[in-house]
Amino acid sequence: MQDGGQQVPSTEDGSEEEAIKQRKNGLYRNVSDELAESMRTGWADTELHDLKPIPQAAETAARRAGLSAAFPGERLVIPAGNLKVRSNDTDYPFRSSVEYAYLTGDQTQDGVLVLEPTASGHEATVYLLPRSNRENGEFWLDGQGELWVGRRNSLTESEKLLGIPAKDVRELPDALREASGPVRVVRGYDAGIEAALTDKVTGERDEELRVFLSEARLVKDAFEIAELQKAVDATARGFEDVVKVLDKAQATSERYIEGTFFLRARVEGNDIGYGSICAAGPHATTLHWVRNDGPVRAGELLLLDAGVETHTLYTADVTRTLPIDGTFTALQRKIYDAVYEAQEAGIAAVRPGAKYADFHEAAQRVLATRLVEWGLLEGPVGRVLELGLQRRFTLHGTGHMLGLDVHDCAVARTETYKDGVLEPGMCLTVEPGLYFQADDLTVPEEYRGIGVRIEDDLVVTEDGNRNLSAALPRTSDEVEAWMARVQG
Ligand code: GLY
Ligand code: MN
Ligand code: MN
């Protein structure tokens, strides 16, 4: 079905010239005066009057206050982003920029938050597309019209929900062009807004704004931690769903697992925070296996790395490695238990005041020790760690910040993140793994094609950490018992 703004006009003589003439007639081409008049009238007033602010309105106001204090006297422009064309007249599902969602609690496409400098700080305005005009035909003839894309909040409704004055976004580019004074924009989301500012901004200053907003998210507030817990809880339900259908997956493919997890996300009104990794057998050794089109076989392992994203855009990121037939072989268990031991060491190193790097180093030491003990690497362990030789089998860092992005705070400076110190409220994954590639001739044949990762989501507390994903079993014995129970 094509939208009203993209109808190809039928012309009397079929000529290109006539078609162009009709396009120039604007929205009302091919519409009789009688139909136009009919569509203008007879619609009820649906304005919503009893709206309460969104639950996180106080938190978003506090975040804007922090941003205001960091950039006094400067106009700050934070776009939500625009739809991206998938093909012809279909678009990719829209996901707001995390910066806009973080500062407003809103996720509307084409929205823009502007912090206007004042004598005492900043005044925030959110620019949005208002409800469609019924007088000029926009609502039913334009591709953005509500008849095609669904009802939008009115500007007054948005003001009430977000606690931020709202204006028509179509006025913003001209207003930005005409405004004077220093300005910064978060780049990469809205080319139209960037074009309006092109003579007024520099890449370096804009990057400082983006970095600030990444670092501001390093420590989560109570609302964010509660949202992450919801995401993790929904993810745990999705993992249980997968365990229940492992027999069906064996009769089909990894796709059955992917679809089952996605179904859990969708039926609860959520989405997934990243492409689910449903890696059976040797696919478990491919870190980002998202093709999910391979066989699921008894006797092998399933590495399931998946996360539900809540409607506020916070995502879980959890991995469990499961014996597909419910029982680990002796070698699978040996490898699994080593990864578990490494994860325990990593989790124990997550506490306020500890260096961010500590949990990675603790986990790597355990894994290097086991690899030497098994004769897969030549010791001593200190030499292995110094040269990083264990990385042939451990492959990746042991964790990352988690939040609105699965790899959250990605542009925070090294000194505040990777070389920084843990603080209460930081949320991160601890996810060591061991991977023996199917074609790795340096390990005995029975190791080849085995991949194990265990990934949990933690929040740093005043005296240590809390494991948000503790509801899912972690030890090899617990995993087997859980699978037997769930499969009944
Ligand atoms: N799911 C990607 C990661 O664990 O970082
Ligand atoms: Mn993961
Ligand atoms: Mn992760």
Side-chain angles (χ1 to χ4, degrees):
M1 187 167 48
Q2 281 197 320
D3 72 39
Q6 297 183 1
Q7 286 166 15
V8 179
S10 63
T11 61
E12 263 177 30
D13 62 3
S15 71
E16 182 67 14
E17 199 185 327
E18 177 66 13
I20 290 166
K21 209 164 85 195
Q22 286 195 9
R23 278 184 212 281
K24 282 186 180 157
N25 283 341
L27 292 175
Y28 277 107
R29 62 183 185 265
N30 299 332
V31 174
S32 70
D33 289 348
E34 288 77 5
L35 176 59
E37 184 51 29
S38 159
M39 292 301 279
R40 269 188 201 109
T41 55
W43 309 106
D45 175 6
T46 59
E47 180 76 11
L48 303 170
H49 297 287
D50 294 326
L51 291 175
K52 300 208 172 9
I54 54 172
Q56 71 273 43
E59 284 85 353
T60 59
R63 296 168 197 164
R64 292 192 300 276
L67 176 61
S68 168
F71 296 95
E74 302 193 38
R75 180 174 292 105
L76 305 172
V77 181
I78 300 102
N82 318 124
L83 285 171
K84 287 195 173 41
V85 173
R86 179 173 182 268
S87 178
N88 187 25
D89 58 356
T90 58
D91 300 309
Y92 286 105
F94 179 73
R95 188 176 194 267
S96 161
S97 76
V98 293
E99 291 87 352
Y100 178 82
Y102 179 72
L103 293 167
T104 64
D106 186 46
Q107 300 173 31
T108 308
Q109 67 205 44
D110 305 322
V112 185
L113 172 70
V114 178
L115 295 195
E116 205 56 56
T118 63
S120 58
H122 286 82
E123 206 171 80
T125 305
V126 64
Y127 287 85
L128 294 162
L129 206 52
R131 297 214 55 199
S132 295
N133 187 323
R134 290 171 194 263
E135 280 301 313
N136 68 7
E138 177 184 288
F139 101 98
W140 68 292
L141 292 171
D142 184 275
Q144 295 252 46
E146 288 178 288
L147 184 132
W148 290 95
V149 299
R151 189 188 188 281
R152 283 190 278 275
N153 291 326
S154 71
L155 296 182
T156 309
E157 289 167 353
S158 292
E159 283 184 11
K160 286 182 188 163
L161 287 166
L162 305 177
I164 309 172
K167 288 189 183 161
D168 188 335
V169 70
R170 290 170 297 193
E171 296 163 9
L172 184 59
D174 282 345
L176 290 174
R177 264 184 221 104
E178 284 157 24
S180 56
V183 55
R184 301 185 198 235
V185 61
V186 178
R187 294 191 182 197
Y189 299 118
D190 192 322
I193 294 295
E194 286 177 35
L197 291 167
T198 189
D199 302 331
K200 301 181 170 163
V201 292
T202 68
E204 198 180 329
R205 284 165 39 80
D206 290 349
E207 186 61 11
E208 285 168 5
L209 173 60
R210 204 164 75 101
V211 168
F212 177 87
L213 289 171
S214 201
E215 294 183 352
R217 305 203 313 273
L218 281 166
V219 174
K220 269 64 180 175
D221 58 40
F223 175 85
E224 295 182 287
I225 295 167
E227 288 299 300
L228 280 169
Q229 184 68 67
K230 281 188 214 164
V232 169
D233 291 347
T235 298
R237 290 191 287 277
F239 274 57
E240 190 163 316
D241 291 345
V242 166
V243 169
K244 284 184 189 148
V245 300
L246 279 179
D247 54 342
K248 296 198 177 73
Q250 286 175 70
T252 52
S253 78
E254 293 163 339
R255 283 288 156 90
Y256 207 100
I257 293 162
E258 181 183 346
T260 299
F261 187 80
F262 190 54
L263 181 66
R264 169 59 67 175
R266 295 310 278 165
V267 296
E268 295 186 354
N270 295 314
D271 208 331
I272 51 174
Y274 55 93
S276 301
I277 297 166
C278 306
H283 290 157
T285 66
T286 301
L287 293 180
H288 285 171
W289 176 260
V290 290
R291 279 183 242 158
N292 300 338
D293 58 358
V296 179
R297 287 181 288 241
E300 296 184 332
L301 296 174
L302 167 69
L303 186 156
L304 175 60
D305 180 344
V308 166
E309 176 187 274
T310 61
H311 9 141
T312 53
L313 301 185
Y314 288 86
T315 188
D317 180 12
V318 176
T319 306
R320 288 293 181 270
T321 306
L322 311 172
I324 288 163
D325 59 15
T327 310
F328 290 101
T329 66
L331 180 61
Q332 288 167 352
R333 183 182 294 271
K334 179 176 92 165
I335 296 167
Y336 186 97
D337 289 349
V339 174
Y340 171 76
E341 190 193 339
Q343 199 202 23
E344 281 285 277
I347 290 173
V350 173
R351 56 178 179 274
K355 284 192 276 181
Y356 175 83
D358 286 353
F359 74 91
H360 173 66
E361 282 167 19
Q364 292 289 300
R365 176 165 291 278
V366 171
L367 295 174
T369 304
R370 293 289 161 259
L371 289 163
V372 169
E373 195 178 291
W374 299 339
L376 304 183
L377 289 174
E378 195 187 317
V381 172
R383 171 185 165 271
V384 168
L385 288 168
E386 198 180 309
L387 300 177
L389 300 176
Q390 81 285 359
R391 291 174 58 187
R392 182 179 178 97
F393 309 112
T394 66
L395 298 184
H396 55 79
T398 305
H400 52 83
M401 295 295 173
L402 185 70
L404 287 168
D405 278 326
V406 61
H407 295 166
D408 208 31
C409 314
V411 297
R413 290 166 299 170
T414 308
E415 59 262 40
T416 55
Y417 183 176
K418 299 286 161 78
D419 289 347
V421 168
L422 294 178
E423 289 177 49
M426 287 181 167
C427 294
L428 63 149
T429 68
V430 178
E431 49 174 311
L434 277 177
Y435 312 89
F436 302 101
Q437 303 300 319
D439 57 354
D440 189 340
L441 301 180
T442 72
V443 299
E445 202 170 340
E446 64 266 26
Y447 282 79
R448 296 178 202 160
I450 294 180
V452 173
R453 177 163 67 255
I454 312 173
E455 176 172 27
D456 280 83
D457 300 343
L458 272 57
V459 53
V460 181
T461 58
E462 293 297 334
D463 56 359
N465 66 69
R466 188 167 80 249
N467 184 349
L468 301 173
S469 42
L472 283 171
R474 286 196 299 126
T475 70
S476 50
D477 285 347
E478 283 167 1
V479 165
E480 287 180 348
W482 171 66
M483 291 180 71
R485 194 171 63 248
V486 168
Q487 291 171 344

